[in-house]
Amino acid sequence: MAKILRGKDVADALCAKLCARVDKLWDKGVMPTLALVRVGENPSDLSYEAGILKRAERIGVAVRRVILPETAEKAAIFSAIDMLNADDAVHGVLLFRPLPPHLKADGEAIFSRLDPKKDVDGMTPLSRAGVYSGGDLGYPPCTPAACLEILDHYGYACEGKRAVVIGRSAVVGRPLAMMLLARSATVTVCHSKTADLAAVCREADLLVSAAGRLRLLGADFVRPGQTVLDVSTNWDESKPNAKGGLGAFAGDADFDALEPIVDAITPVPGGVGAVTTTVLMKRVIEAAEDGGAHA
Ligand code: NAP
């Protein structure tokens, strides 16, 4: 039976430390403030937003929401970002991604518009450069940072380990691979064209899946001794939910098949996602503390 790496325990420990830092900011008259920019009503954005609001309230971070219609054009997003860049009371800005399809070609221009010192989710070129150079520029995206928080909380040392990351997106897979490399893991990045994915995964000591594919990882992908972080949040129509019906979030891993084999595994929900919002709060607090010195 695997050790279950519970995100809630990691988030609770982090929250306690963050509340003390917020108290100090309040004593100085600083209210750490996060602005959310959402385009449209994508259900996964709404679910993430609800989690952020709950976590921010618990820690004492103020949240402002800027909501634009699904059909919003680049100019409207630019002006929302410009307004938040100019507002000294806003320390961090999170733009929900992916943007609607009609904005895909403008993604880079939109991401680059944000003041890097307010970029608490690693979307600007400067933050990305920081991740790839292994330096201290900007902030890495929150989700890969949440993976490292989980490993740290449970005392997992990456040095010398063989890490396999499934997914090469700019938000999760690529930055996580770089962050694991910075911790001296030997990293393999897999994607939809990887040949014999199961065999590559079995070679891992640390297996991280961010493919967004329900039941991608079966028992044949793992072996005893492995630690598995399941980043993905897929909707599973057949999974029993808390209300006694069917339909619930699930990861890439077939949890029931993997759990008896591996050493440790994160559940979905209640794993990486539970830590991501707390890492976001940590970033906003850092940005409020150092007044942008990080960028
Ligand atoms: P994405 O942009 O769609 O990227 C998915 C990656 O997985 C791509 O690199 C893709 O390969 C690869 N992939 C897809 N199917 C595969 C397969 N069958 N075998 C191997 N690789 C495959 O997704 P994302 O934004 O990185 O998010 C990934 C998942 O994490 C989603 O479920 C998302 O909801 C979840 N997520 C969770 C959190 C959290 O806090 N827990 C935060 C962000 C995202 P190609 O590049 O070849 O297409």
Side-chain angles (χ1 to χ4, degrees):
M1 285 233 321
K3 180 179 179 62
I4 308 302
L5 307 177
R6 294 191 193 284
K8 184 180 179 305
D9 295 349
V10 183
D12 286 350
L14 198 50
C15 265
K17 291 183 204 154
L18 295 179
C19 287
R21 287 166 67 174
V22 168
D23 281 348
K24 282 192 190 154
L25 283 168
W26 285 359
D27 288 347
K28 289 187 205 158
V30 177
M31 169 57 91
T33 300
L34 168 70
L36 302 178
V37 180
R38 170 160 55 79
V39 183
E41 307 284 323
N42 180 331
S44 73
D45 292 350
L46 294 174
S47 155
Y48 189 24
E49 182 176 306
I52 290 170
L53 293 174
K54 211 166 132 190
R55 186 58 52 162
E57 188 179 3
R58 178 167 167 203
I59 294 177
V61 168
V63 180
R64 285 196 212 162
R65 286 184 296 165
V66 179
I67 299 163
L68 298 165
E70 177 79 29
T71 52
E73 291 299 338
K74 179 174 72 171
I77 302 172
F78 275 1
S79 71
I81 292 175
D82 291 347
M83 176 191 76
L84 297 169
N85 281 344
D87 188 339
D88 290 339
V90 171
H91 302 101
V93 177
L94 178 107
L95 171 67
F96 289 99
R97 289 163 283 163
L99 291 164
H102 71 280
L103 292 166
K104 202 169 175 206
D106 297 316
E108 277 306 306
I110 291 169
F111 302 155
S112 305
R113 192 84 173 191
L114 179 62
D115 182 342
K117 69 175 185 285
K118 300 190 181 191
D119 177 20
V120 286
D121 195 26
M123 74 178 193
T124 58
L126 184 117
S127 295
R128 276 182 269 153
V131 170
Y132 291 99
S133 68
D136 198 23
L137 283 173
Y139 299 102
C142 294
T143 304
C147 292
L148 297 190
E149 287 284 353
I150 292 172
L151 295 176
D152 288 344
H153 180 88
Y154 289 102
Y156 188 92
C158 294
E159 187 175 318
K161 299 280 175 30
R162 177 81 190 264
V164 170
V165 177
I166 308 176
R168 55 178 164 179
S169 75
V171 186
V172 189
R174 279 173 206 242
L176 179 59
M178 291 299 127
M179 291 157 84
L180 291 169
L181 191 60
R183 289 185 169 209
S184 297
T186 301
V187 185
T188 302
V189 182
C190 300
H191 46 78
S192 64
K193 308 289 185 289
T194 297
D196 202 351
L197 184 63
V200 179
C201 291
R202 283 195 302 272
E203 286 172 17
D205 300 308
L206 172 65
L207 175 58
V208 188
S209 191
R213 295 286 180 274
L214 191 62
R215 283 185 276 279
L216 174 67
L217 308 186
D220 56 326
F221 280 62
V222 294
R223 59 168 173 77
Q226 291 181 309
T227 290
V228 180
L229 302 183
D230 192 346
V231 178
S232 294
T233 47
N234 309 300
W235 187 250
D236 183 352
E237 297 284 353
S238 62
K239 184 174 171 178
N241 59 39
K243 292 177 186 155
L246 291 178
F249 284 109
D252 291 343
D254 179 344
F255 186 87
D256 293 339
L258 268 60
E259 190 269 339
I261 302 171
V262 300
D263 259 17
I265 185 166
T266 55
V268 179
V272 178
V275 183
T276 302
T277 50
T278 311
V279 169
L280 176 64
M281 297 305 133
K282 185 179 172 187
R283 298 266 179 274
V284 178
I285 292 163
E286 278 169 15
E289 286 170 343
D290 71 17
H294 213 74

